[in-house]
Amino acid sequence: MANHKSAEKRNRQSQVRRLRNKSNRSRMKTAIRKIDEAVVAGSADEAREALKQAIPVIAKTASKGTIHKKTASRKISRLTKRVNQMTA
């Protein structure tokens, strides 16, 4: 437990950031799950639409610092590759 005023503030800040990061990560995972479900179902149009909606969500998660920029890029690339292979 924090004993100093500055440590208590740091603890509060960490909790706020943890919740914000959790929310961002959850939003991103939901967007990715929608793509996966569309790919498994074999629906090319739904997969393309879900990808179009997921790319900005993943990029925003990275810009907020929740995930690393290169991790976001890798996720976008792999999802795009899956959707493109499915439609081809």
Side-chain angles (χ1 to χ4, degrees):
M1 191 65 200
N3 293 322
H4 296 280
K5 201 172 186 181
S6 60
E8 290 171 355
K9 180 179 179 182
R10 174 58 69 191
N11 192 28
R12 287 193 307 270
Q13 289 175 330
S14 294
Q15 288 175 358
V16 168
R17 289 184 180 130
R18 180 182 64 83
L19 292 173
R20 190 180 304 132
N21 287 340
K22 185 178 177 183
S23 172
N24 288 337
R25 193 173 286 115
S26 175
R27 190 177 301 119
M28 180 186 71
K29 284 181 173 184
T30 301
I32 292 171
R33 196 175 313 114
K34 285 181 183 177
I35 296 171
D36 291 337
E37 288 171 359
V39 168
V40 169
S43 176
D45 292 334
E46 282 183 33
R48 261 188 253 111
E49 189 60 35
L51 179 65
K52 210 180 284 188
Q53 292 175 358
I55 289 174
V57 172
I58 296 169
K60 191 170 187 177
T61 303
S63 71
K64 298 290 184 187
T66 303
I67 62 172
H68 195 273
K69 185 176 151 184
K70 289 187 178 183
T71 302
S73 179
R74 185 176 65 247
K75 284 183 183 296
I76 291 170
S77 176
R78 287 178 181 173
L79 289 169
T80 305
K81 184 178 174 184
R82 279 186 70 189
V83 171
N84 288 344
Q85 283 178 344
M86 184 187 137
T87 58

